[in-house]
Structure formats: C-alpha cells, structure tokens
Amino acid sequence: MIVNYIIKKDLLFEGKTKKIYATKNPFEVLIHHKDYLTALDGLRKNFLQDKGILNNEITTLIFKFLNSCGIKTHFIRKINNREQLCYKVDMIPLEFVVRNVVAGSMSKRLGIKEGVHLSNPIFEIFYKNDKLKDPLINDHHAVFLKALSYEELNSIYSIISKINYIIKKYFLNKNIILVDFKVEFGKNHKNEILLSDEISPDTCRFWDKKTMKKLDKDLFRMELNEKKEVFDIYIEILKRLNVS
C-alpha cells in the first residue's frame, strides 16, 4: 500500500531525461523518467515513446541489486512504471566515468582503437557544467572547485571500484560486457555520500559478449540506427536483466 506522503508535490528540478518532485517527507523525492533520448551534451534530442518506462525498470533492477550488495544508493523503491521513491540528496556536480574497455571519447582523445581491454579500470572525472560542455578534469580541479574534498574523493573512488567489480560480473552473467559507465553521487541530510541518478543504457556502454554488438545509447549517439532499433536494444537489456 502506498502511503500519502509520497504523493507528488512541487517540481524541484527538471533535467534532460528526468523530473524530480518533492514529497511530504522532506528527506525523500519522487523521480519521474521522461521519454527522451539525448546525446552530445543535449545537442541531439529525440522523443522515444515509453523509453522512460524502460529506464525506470532497468535502474530499479540494478540499484536494488547494488543495495543488496551493500552499496549505499538513493534508491528506496519503485512506485509505478515511471517513478521511483528516492532519498533526497544534494548532487555533487561531477560525473565519474569508469572505463574497462577503450571506447568513445577515450578512443578519440588517445588515438587508440575501440575494443582494447584495459589491464585495470581507468577513472575519469567530468565537471557538470552545460555552458562549458562538461569538461574532463582531474582530482585537484575537483577539489579546487569545492565539489568535494580529497577525503570524499578517495571515498568515492573506493565506492566506484566496488560498484565496477560487482556489476561487471553481474552483466557478464547476462552475456553483456560492461565497456564503461557513468555514475553520479549526492549527499543526504546526514552528509552521507550515496550513489544517485541512474544506471542504464543511457549511462553505460554495453556490448554483447559474443557478437560485440552495441547494446546502449551509442546507437543513437552515433546515428547508427532508427529509434525503433534503439528501443529494441533497451528492451533486450531489460530482458537479460530479468533472467536469473
């Protein structure tokens, strides 16, 4: 039974793919997933019917799994096909990218062919600033910008190392290679750092273990496929995650 305090109140924030609403509980919010595909810092944007439903379900499955593994996340529970109840956090204005295989911007920056497996994961930080197009920065920049402290940065590196170890195995059991992924963090009212936002084909590069076929938003980003084929890829990821 859903109790009254999770009824949506004021819209707190609207991003490219999500809306965040206040609830009667000051420490919780409702996150609504929209039906939009975006890429290239929002320069490419397309409506995709029911895509928000798929991302809500995929993120729910992954965050529930991570919660069960002892990773602290903002996720509380799924409310309906588009919305989740989550702990309210102040987002840290950084995106952390974990790379297991060379692909995307790393391939272009370093002139290395996509598909080279890294002997150890590489962590990258991007400063969340639309005007600056989310530039790549280093640890010292992040601290200088007062996004976090060195201690908090080390804590986040420890968390994302655990996340990477856990979900690489999780996806490999579904015949999916986790090429790279982006995660974001926020602080709750107790100043605890929680994994936040989402983990989905919007924020990860997935390749099929056998065929190396792309199973993520890269198809849209690189304009390789029609919308229906992108939608079918998201369906495929959800199907695999639902197989125990």
Side-chain angles (χ1 to χ4, degrees):
M1 179 179 179
I2 297 176
V3 292
N4 287 334
Y5 73 76
I6 64 171
I7 294 174
K8 280 189 284 191
K9 295 184 73 181
D10 298 333
L11 177 64
L12 299 176
F13 173 80
E14 181 169 3
K16 299 181 185 78
T17 60
K18 288 184 282 294
K19 294 180 181 180
I20 300 176
Y21 293 91
T23 69
K24 289 187 177 181
N25 185 325
F27 304 124
E28 296 175 355
V29 294
L30 207 63
I31 297 181
H32 175 98
H33 290 258
K34 298 159 61 177
D35 288 340
Y36 280 98
L37 275 168
T38 65
L40 307 175
D41 296 319
L43 294 177
R44 294 199 67 215
K45 184 177 180 180
N46 220 327
F47 179 80
L48 183 59
Q49 184 68 44
D50 293 336
K51 179 257 188 183
I53 293 174
L54 295 177
N55 268 18
N56 185 36
E57 184 62 27
I58 290 168
T59 295
T60 291
L61 290 170
I62 296 171
F63 271 52
K64 284 175 71 174
F65 175 69
L66 288 172
N67 281 341
S68 73
C69 294
I71 301 295
K72 291 184 177 181
T73 80
H74 73 160
F75 178 82
I76 299 173
R77 65 177 179 275
K78 177 182 167 185
I79 298 301
N80 55 47
N81 64 356
R82 288 189 179 276
E83 295 173 330
Q84 302 171 357
L85 183 68
C86 296
Y87 294 114
K88 185 178 181 180
V89 296
D90 291 323
M91 294 298 292
I92 296 169
L94 303 173
E95 295 179 345
F96 294 86
V97 173
V98 182
R99 299 188 183 275
N100 298 307
V101 181
V102 175
S105 63
M106 180 180 179
S107 172
K108 293 175 184 176
R109 282 199 312 271
L110 303 181
I112 300 173
K113 186 178 179 180
E114 281 200 345
V116 175
H117 286 253
L118 300 167
S119 58
N120 56 276
I122 291 178
F123 301 158
E124 296 176 344
I125 307 175
F126 293 84
Y127 179 41
K128 291 189 67 175
N129 186 307
D130 288 340
K131 291 181 180 178
L132 300 177
K133 298 184 179 179
D134 299 345
L136 175 67
I137 63 174
N138 63 32
D139 296 9
H140 306 297
H141 291 136
V143 175
F144 169 73
L145 291 166
K146 295 183 169 46
L148 37 53
S149 66
Y150 284 112
E151 183 180 3
E152 289 169 334
L153 188 57
N154 288 334
S155 176
I156 284 177
Y157 281 149
S158 177
I159 295 168
I160 60 178
S161 292
K162 292 175 185 174
I163 292 170
N164 189 42
Y165 177 78
I166 291 167
I167 63 175
K168 263 203 313 182
K169 292 176 63 178
Y170 174 74
F171 284 115
L172 204 55
N173 287 334
K174 317 288 184 182
N175 290 313
I176 298 168
I177 295 172
L178 181 60
V179 174
D180 58 41
F181 64 100
K182 182 265 291 183
V183 285
E184 297 184 36
F185 294 86
K187 296 179 184 178
N188 65 11
H189 68 286
K190 298 178 183 178
N191 209 39
E192 296 174 313
I193 294 175
L194 304 181
L195 175 66
S196 304
D197 194 48
E198 66 178 288
I199 295 179
S200 73
D202 276 12
T203 62
C204 304
R205 279 190 175 89
F206 297 132
W207 292 352
D208 182 83
K209 181 182 174 183
K210 295 178 181 178
T211 67
M212 297 296 133
K213 178 182 177 181
K214 294 176 184 289
L215 301 173
D216 56 70
K217 195 173 71 172
D218 251 3
L219 299 175
F220 174 70
R221 187 182 290 115
M222 300 168 68
E223 301 186 72
L224 296 178
N225 291 70
E226 297 297 327
K227 287 196 295 182
K228 184 183 181 303
E229 293 176 270
V230 175
F231 186 82
D232 289 344
I233 287 295
Y234 282 53
I235 288 283
E236 175 65 21
I237 291 293
L238 182 56
K239 284 181 180 177
R240 295 197 193 188
L241 296 187
N242 275 317
V243 174
S244 56

